Amino acid sequence: MLLFMLFLCMLPTIFAIVHYKPSLNCGPFSGQEKIYDIVSETIENDFPAWFHVVVGHISSPVVILPAVLLLFMLIYYLQSIARSLKLSSQQLRMQIQNA
């Protein structure tokens, strides 16, 4: 639940980064079409060429979508384990009270 609330709180910031065009006259993002373009420009200009290739492969949908699905499955698995441990803890408390 806490992770879901964090995601909801981050949505407006992510929307602003992706959607709005930065100021043309001042600021660190001036001259950029989108705010996140500065990241790709920095990777292309300031890092070695192999790093740009690796980041290009990692940021492709072929890698991101399975990773997100895997994270969702992991979160669901951990939540189900937490629920089962809570239930077994309650059952053990009941057994101790009855003894």
Side-chain angles (χ1 to χ4, degrees), residues 10-80:
M10 289 178 58
L11 276 178
T13 305
I14 293 170
F15 178 76
I17 289 172
V18 173
H19 188 263
Y20 293 124
K21 188 174 181 176
S23 172
L24 294 175
N25 298 328
C26 64
F29 306 109
S30 61
Q32 302 292 332
E33 185 65 29
K34 300 286 183 194
I35 293 175
Y36 61 85
D37 288 341
I38 193 75
V39 174
S40 60
E41 182 180 302
T42 302
I43 289 174
E44 288 176 8
N45 296 336
D46 297 340
F47 290 100
W50 64 268
F51 189 75
H52 176 63
V53 172
V54 169
V55 169
H57 288 303
I58 290 174
S59 63
S60 70
V62 174
V63 175
I64 290 178
L65 289 177
V68 168
L69 289 174
L70 182 67
L71 286 174
F72 281 134
M73 290 185 339
L74 181 66
I75 289 169
Y76 178 74
Y77 174 72
L78 291 174
Q79 282 182 344
S80 65

Side-chain angles (χ1 to χ4, degrees), residues 1-9 75-76 78-79 82-83:
M1 185 67 177
L2 188 62
L3 187 63
F4 180 69
M5 295 306 288
L6 175 66
F7 175 73
L8 286 179
C9 291
I75 289 169
Y76 178 74
L78 291 174
Q79 282 182 344
R83 274 190 236 118

